[in-house]
Amino acid sequence: MTYVVTDNCIRCKYMDCVEVCPVDCFYEGENMLVIHPDECIDCGVCEPECPAEAIKPDTEPGMEKWLVVNTEYADKWPNITVKRDAPDDAKDFDGTEGKFEKYFSAEPGEGD
């Protein structure tokens, strides 16, 4: 098992999870984070820290797509280990349906 970041992170990108990860397995895209599944130690400390509730265990139903997304982009995006501020409009996008199709960006973020 591993944890994955799902579409509710898109355009919210709260970084509370990054701050608590003991193995630094988060990677930053332009408008979301992902978890590298080969680096995640399944400790679960990140899941309750996510204000958007965007982090889920990959064993939950429907997480197959997110495992693929996290795996692909963790290999392309820079590692992030330091919490920064969420976007100013993050609360406006929290809970929005269809965020992946509407807003996902494959561009990398800043990283550390």
Side-chain angles (χ1 to χ4, degrees):
M1 184 185 91
T2 188
Y3 284 84
V4 293
V5 180
T6 63
D7 63 339
N8 205 43
C9 183
I10 298 170
R11 304 256 343 231
C12 289
K13 201 166 124 179
Y14 299 109
M15 294 192 181
D16 304 63
C17 54
V18 169
E19 192 171 56
V20 299
C21 182
V23 294
D24 300 332
C25 64
F26 281 89
Y27 291 80
E28 184 184 14
E30 180 179 35
N31 65 5
M32 79 174 290
L33 304 173
V34 294
I35 294 171
H36 196 303
D38 294 336
E39 296 173 3
C40 177
I41 60 170
D42 312 327
C43 67
V45 296
C46 60
E47 185 180 20
E49 296 299 318
C50 180
E53 299 180 1
I55 299 174
K56 305 286 182 195
D58 73 338
T59 53
E60 283 191 12
M63 292 298 114
E64 298 83 7
K65 169 186 178 176
W66 296 108
L67 181 58
V68 170
V69 169
N70 279 248
T71 302
E72 178 179 350
Y73 290 98
D75 284 337
K76 296 177 180 179
W77 291 345
N79 187 245
I80 180 78
T81 62
V82 178
K83 178 183 175 183
R84 291 193 304 271
D85 293 334
D88 292 337
D89 60 354
K91 289 183 181 179
D92 298 336
F93 287 94
D94 191 354
T96 301
E97 295 291 321
K99 288 167 70 170
F100 189 78
E101 294 75 19
K102 292 177 188 174
Y103 305 117
F104 175 76
S105 169
E107 295 299 313
E110 297 174 41
D112 286 345

